[in-house]
Amino acid sequence: MAKIDTEPLELWEYQAIQAQLPPHWQLFYWLLWETGLRVSEALGIQKADLKDAGIMATRLKKKKPQVDLIPLPPTLLQALYLQVQAVRGKRLFPYTRGGAWLALKRASELAGVRRSMHPHLYRHGFGHRGSKLNLGLTALEHEALLQRLMGHSSPVSTRVYFKPTEAEVQQAWRKFHKRK
C-alpha cells in the first residue's frame, strides 16, 4: 500500500534513507529525527548554540520566537561537536532548505522508500513516536508534554500526532478479527 504524504516517517524508512545520505547530511537528518525540529530551526542553529547538555534551538512558528534547550543523546552531541570543527562560519549547518530537500529526495529514491518524501516527515515521525511513549501520564498530560517537546503554541497542533497511522489501523483490524 502506498504511503500518503502525512504518514509519519517510520524507523525502517529513516534507517534506509540514512544509509543513502552523504555523511554531512546524515548528521543533519539524525538531528531532525532525534529532536523533531523544523528544517529552518535546525538550519538556524549556530555553533555557539551547542551546549554540554544539548542544543539551544529557536522555535520559529511562535508569535514570539522561543529558545529551548533540547537535550541530545551523547553520541549525537559528540558528532555535533565534531561538526563545529569541520565547518566555517557561525552556522552549524551551512546549508539551504533547497539543499536539504534535494539531498533527502535523492537518498529516498536510492533507498526505495515512498515517492513523496520531504524533511517535515521527520518532524511527523518524532511527534508520532512521542505520542506512543508510555510515561504513565493522563492523556491530557501526555498531550501537554508532547506539545512542549514540539514547541507548539496550541494543543490543536499537537493532536495530529496522536492520529493512528495506516499501519496501526491495519494492525488493529487484524487483532479485531483474531478475537473470534
Side-chain angles (χ1 to χ4, degrees), residues 59-170:
R59 304 300 188 143
L60 300 173
K61 287 196 107 181
K62 296 212 168 237
K63 289 179 184 173
K64 181 181 175 193
Q66 170 185 328
V67 178
D68 289 330
L69 174 63
I70 300 175
L72 298 173
T75 52
L76 177 55
L77 194 55
Q78 182 180 10
L80 291 173
Y81 274 118
L82 292 174
Q83 175 77 354
V84 165
Q85 297 167 0
V87 296
R88 296 179 195 209
K90 293 181 178 181
R91 288 177 38 208
L92 188 58
F93 297 105
Y95 315 136
T96 64
R97 287 175 52 92
W101 275 73
L102 186 58
L104 182 60
K105 183 178 182 342
R106 286 181 180 154
S108 174
E109 288 171 359
L110 289 170
V113 298
R114 61 179 102 177
R115 286 186 209 166
S116 180
M117 180 60 66
H118 52 87
H120 203 71
L121 289 176
Y122 280 70
R123 184 166 171 79
H124 284 278
F126 178 85
H128 190 73
R129 290 190 327 271
S131 76
K132 300 303 175 199
L133 289 176
N134 184 1
L135 301 171
L137 303 172
T138 67
L140 193 57
E141 291 168 333
H142 193 158
E143 181 182 283
L145 177 63
L146 187 58
Q147 177 184 346
R148 182 96 186 264
L149 288 173
M150 303 219 40
H152 288 149
S153 298
S154 166
V156 173
S157 301
T158 308
R159 288 187 190 125
V160 69
Y161 300 106
F162 288 89
K163 182 182 97 175
T165 65
E166 184 62 32
E168 291 166 340
V169 170
Q170 294 302 317

